[in-house]
Amino acid sequence: MRTTVNTFKKAKENKEKITMLTAYDYSTAKLVDEAGVESILVGDSLGMVCLGYEDTLSVTMEDMIHHVAAVARGAKNAMVIADMPFMSYQTSVYDAVVNAGRLIKEGRAQAVKLEGGLEVCEQIKAIVKASIPVCAHIGLTPQSINAFGGFQVQGKGEEAAKRLIEEAQAVEEAGAFAVVLECVPEKLATLISEKISIPTIGIGAGAGCDGQVLVYQDMLGLYSDFVPKFVKQFRNLGQEMKAGFADYVKEVKEGTFPAKEHTFKIDDSIIEKLY
Ligand code: KIV
């Protein structure tokens, strides 16, 4: 059964935790989906973990549609949520609706995610009015890296904490079906989760959130450029992959791969005629 906005709603009502992981291609989406993860975020973290950019700012709508469509082909049950890239919704409400529409129509996502609180509420309202579910994202919003002056925990002071609560309430009021809380102190994230009726999905926001999201390369040890404090490495596949690649190099060099079982046969009589 496909996860929908109703699944999110019911999970919050029943106090059941919601799971979300990122994916950016067909085969990973299939694995994530088959493992029972309820929602797949095609994050604009794509820019860093797949495309090698130093931040998420250069990711385009074309990049997103290309990867969202691949993920959508692999995810049979998980809800596919497409991130709206930098400058695809900040520029105007019109741009926001058009670009959200493209992620649904061309990418075949079931929902979109965008960063920001009070300043993007008009965009959220308009996208929701166009029948597209929106997941909001507040706290550390990586598209605002230059405005923040770096990746820092958000909402630590009294004013900042109050502001974050207001933002969460505002995006709920605007019609978001869920909100990602990124790099928010655990107690504040728990309080926000109690104060709003839509699910909070935490990343670096502690166990009091209604669900959790991680970038899959982080939790599998596949991306070593930067490992945030909040990441738990559930496996170290990076080491495994490197060992596999090194074995391949060794066997090709020494001629032990490919072996007989990896080859195709042809009648000797035909080969003889070719000499
Ligand atoms: O782009 C992304 O992967 C995200 C998650 C970190 C929430 O926004």
Side-chain angles (χ1 to χ4, degrees):
M1 277 271 286
R2 173 82 74 182
T3 302
T4 66
V5 288
N6 297 330
T7 323
F8 272 64
K9 194 167 180 279
K10 280 200 192 113
K12 172 104 182 181
E13 284 165 7
N14 298 336
K15 297 189 175 7
E16 284 161 14
K17 297 285 186 188
I18 299 162
T19 53
M20 187 185 291
L21 279 177
T22 64
Y24 314 90
D25 63 64
Y26 171 79
S27 24
T28 312
K30 242 181 123 180
L31 292 171
V32 172
D33 191 63
E34 286 166 8
V37 176
E38 290 143 326
S39 47
I40 299 182
L41 171 66
V42 189
D44 62 354
S45 47
L46 164 79
M48 297 171 78
V49 295
C50 294
L51 305 178
Y53 298 139
E54 67 182 65
D55 54 41
T56 60
L57 302 180
S58 303
V59 176
T60 64
M61 274 298 296
E62 269 54 45
D63 291 333
M64 288 307 302
I65 289 168
H66 184 70
H67 287 267
V68 171
V71 167
R73 288 190 285 271
K76 297 284 167 269
N77 295 313
M79 176 190 217
V80 176
I81 305 174
D83 233 349
M84 299 198 67
F86 184 53
M87 286 299 129
S88 68
Y89 59 95
Q90 290 93 340
T91 43
S92 70
V93 169
Y94 177 83
D95 285 351
V97 177
V98 169
N99 286 320
R102 289 190 67 196
L103 290 165
I104 304 295
K105 216 172 162 169
E106 299 171 51
R108 303 294 304 176
Q110 282 95 41
V112 298
K113 175 170 87 57
L114 52 78
E115 295 182 8
L118 291 155
E119 73 282 10
V120 292
C121 279
E122 289 311 311
Q123 280 89 332
I124 296 176
K125 278 184 204 158
I127 298 171
V128 171
K129 206 168 160 199
S131 304
I132 300 172
V134 177
C135 177
H137 181 164
I138 60 173
L140 174 60
T141 46
Q143 291 177 15
S144 306
I145 176 86
N146 290 324
F148 287 144
F151 290 107
Q152 292 136 5
V153 177
Q154 300 296 304
K156 282 186 108 172
E158 190 181 331
E159 278 316 304
K162 276 190 191 150
R163 166 96 186 172
L164 217 48
I165 295 171
E166 273 167 32
E167 309 242 56
Q169 289 168 332
V171 296
E172 172 177 21
E173 182 68 31
F177 74 94
V179 56
V180 168
L181 302 181
E182 181 164 354
C183 285
V184 173
E186 180 168 32
K187 286 187 178 163
L188 177 60
T190 305
L191 181 62
I192 292 174
S193 306
E194 285 164 9
K195 277 185 178 280
I196 61 175
S197 58
I198 56 170
T200 56
I201 310 295
I203 174 160
C209 293
D210 302 304
Q212 298 294 325
V213 59
L214 281 176
V215 170
Y216 92 83
Q217 283 91 340
D218 287 342
M219 53 90 73
L220 294 183
L222 291 168
Y223 180 75
S224 54
D225 289 8
F226 172 65
V227 183
K229 172 184 155 80
F230 57 76
V231 167
K232 173 174 172 180
Q233 275 192 355
F234 286 79
R235 294 286 189 282
N236 194 342
L237 298 192
Q239 290 301 334
E240 268 296 291
M241 285 176 76
K242 258 196 231 172
F245 298 148
D247 285 353
Y248 168 76
V249 170
K250 182 170 169 284
E251 291 193 22
V252 171
K253 295 279 186 195
E254 66 192 19
T256 51
F257 174 81
K260 279 279 168 275
E261 66 266 29
H262 308 122
T263 57
F264 302 101
K265 289 195 177 114
I266 185 172
D267 260 12
D268 283 349
S269 58
I270 295 174
I271 290 293
E272 276 155 23
K273 285 187 197 139
L274 300 175
Y275 275 100

